[in-house]
Amino acid sequence: MNILSLEKIIDENLKNKTQEYKRLFHGRGNFYEDFNYLTIDSIDDILFATIFEEINKDIEKEIIDFLEKIYEKYYYKTLVLQRRYLNNGENEVLKGTLNKQNHAIENGLKYSINFSNKNIGFFADMKKGRQFVYENAKDKKVLNLFSYTCSFSVCAIKGEAKEVVNIDMAKNALNTGRLNHQINNLDTKNVKFLPYNILKSWGKIKKFGPYDLIIIDPPSFQKGSFAATKDYEKIIKRLDSLASEKCIILSCLNAPELDTDFIKSLFEKFAPEFKYVKRLDNLEEFISKDKEKSLKNMIFEKS
């Protein structure tokens, strides 16, 4: 695969360009072997590219020249490059300027994003998970574990949830979560933003239950706080004490080394009262050579 092939993919994905956040090129699924270190996103009028590993300087220059060509061709106002392999995943503005406030737009909802951080505050691959929450939240009490910037909560409240409890250790992420509700003109009187260590706060979390919809979306690995291989089961073991009689679970996992059977076996062993329903499809633009190594959004229901 060469730059011309890459340009054809980008052109195809920009045929009907809108304000919505869209993955234009997804190399991380190892479907395109020559560019498996590269992703390119369209975020309204921002073109955002990420290089995940250090590459030859001549190749990097070729990619930057290509990005500048796309920037001009499709009238973007800003071009941002993140070199993810650097310690802080530094974002460099190559063209234009960033606004003080920037937003990702999805299904008409806005989410605050911050290019000062390695993770800008929004994960576009979770679109169908958010859609599921929106469609299933009506009149439900929702528990959002590892809520980060609370995009699931935004969708739940927009979907007329009765109450949402967001739990995350990162206070700054929860503050962004509050902002995400405000910029969408959503009332937060029935939304809680709680900076708890989930694995050490089950009593506090339980007192706000029982919950009708529980979202589990942890990092696959976060040094000192969570490792999916050993900690995911600790959550599954607690579900029955948190859940209402007809509770729905959205169990998320984005660890390439762990497959769907990893989650299914945890439920079968530690929460057999929850039955597997289905795995949500991933977005077509997040193409992957191996489906089992891609994002896994799995639905379970208590019966």
Side-chain angles (χ1 to χ4, degrees):
M1 184 178 179
N2 56 28
I3 287 289
L4 287 176
S5 301
L6 179 60
E7 185 171 3
K8 287 181 180 178
I9 294 170
I10 300 297
D11 285 338
E12 182 65 27
N13 282 327
L14 282 172
K15 272 185 176 178
N16 299 303
K17 180 180 178 294
T18 68
Q19 292 179 307
E20 295 252 326
Y21 195 125
K22 185 174 183 179
R23 176 62 49 97
L24 302 178
F25 180 78
H26 186 66
R28 296 296 287 165
N30 292 313
F31 190 82
Y32 307 105
E33 292 184 3
D34 295 324
F35 292 100
N36 58 12
Y37 54 82
L38 178 67
T39 62
I40 304 173
D41 295 321
S42 178
I43 313 173
D44 194 4
D45 53 16
I46 300 170
L47 184 64
F48 178 47
T50 303
I51 297 175
F52 284 82
E53 60 188 56
E54 193 167 7
I55 56 176
N56 178 281
K57 291 298 179 184
D58 291 336
I59 295 175
E60 182 179 286
K61 184 180 184 307
E62 185 180 23
I63 289 172
I64 290 174
D65 289 345
F66 164 73
L67 291 170
E68 290 179 350
K69 179 181 177 180
I70 297 298
Y71 164 84
E72 297 286 350
K73 184 176 181 179
Y74 290 96
Y75 305 103
Y76 284 99
K77 293 182 180 178
T78 313
L79 170 59
V80 181
L81 175 66
Q82 180 181 105
R83 294 176 175 88
R84 186 82 173 192
Y85 57 87
L86 298 178
N87 286 338
N88 296 318
E90 296 171 12
N91 291 302
E92 180 183 357
V93 178
L94 299 179
K95 291 283 187 178
T97 57
L98 285 169
N99 297 326
K100 288 184 178 180
Q101 299 290 330
N102 297 284
H103 302 109
I105 300 172
E106 179 186 271
N107 292 332
L109 294 170
K110 292 182 179 180
Y111 302 91
S112 179
I113 53 176
N114 184 355
F115 288 97
S116 299
N117 300 328
K118 180 183 285 190
N119 290 324
I120 64 172
F122 183 77
F123 293 105
D125 58 349
M126 194 57 77
K127 182 176 183 177
K128 292 197 175 182
R130 283 185 286 267
Q131 184 69 24
F132 177 85
V133 169
Y134 169 76
E135 292 172 353
N136 289 275
K138 186 175 175 60
D139 298 326
K140 289 183 172 64
K141 181 177 284 191
V142 180
L143 174 61
N144 187 15
L145 297 174
F146 306 95
S147 62
Y148 190 43
T149 55
C150 308
S151 63
F152 281 121
S153 180
V154 168
C155 292
I157 292 298
K158 186 67 175 179
E160 300 181 25
K162 182 168 59 178
E163 183 179 349
V164 181
V165 177
N166 295 292
I167 315 285
D168 200 286
M169 287 176 63
K171 291 183 179 179
N172 287 340
L174 291 174
N175 288 336
T176 301
R178 286 190 183 89
L179 176 62
N180 281 337
H181 289 74
Q182 292 166 7
I183 61 180
N184 288 290
N185 298 312
L186 298 174
D187 194 339
T188 57
K189 68 180 180 182
N190 293 321
V191 184
K192 293 180 173 59
F193 304 91
L194 305 177
Y196 296 163
N197 181 330
I198 290 168
L199 299 181
K200 297 180 180 179
S201 305
W202 295 117
K204 295 177 182 178
I205 297 170
K206 182 180 178 181
K207 76 177 184 180
F208 296 112
Y211 303 97
D212 308 303
L213 173 60
I214 299 176
I215 303 152
I216 311 167
D217 185 22
S220 59
F221 180 79
Q222 196 168 67
K223 189 175 180 180
S225 63
F226 192 88
T229 50
K230 66 181 180 68
D231 291 327
Y232 213 118
E233 70 177 59
K234 296 175 184 177
I235 302 168
I236 305 303
K237 287 176 179 177
R238 299 281 182 170
L239 288 179
D240 191 46
S241 66
L242 302 172
S244 66
E245 290 184 4
K246 295 183 179 181
C247 182
I248 300 171
I249 307 291
L250 170 58
S251 177
C252 312
L253 182 66
N254 203 357
E257 72 278 10
L258 300 173
D259 59 16
T260 51
D261 285 338
F262 170 76
I263 294 295
K264 286 181 179 179
S265 64
L266 291 181
F267 273 85
E268 289 170 0
K269 184 175 181 179
F270 300 115
E273 60 276 18
F274 291 90
K275 303 303 179 185
Y276 174 69
V277 178
K278 63 180 177 179
R279 177 181 174 181
L280 301 181
D281 292 333
N282 287 330
L283 296 172
E284 290 182 2
E285 51 262 41
F286 284 82
I287 191 168
S288 179
K289 186 177 181 180
D290 184 347
K291 183 180 178 181
E292 283 299 318
K293 291 187 176 182
S294 62
L295 172 65
K296 291 161 277 285
N297 285 327
M298 304 175 69
I299 308 301
F300 296 82
E301 290 183 2
K302 191 173 182 181
S303 60

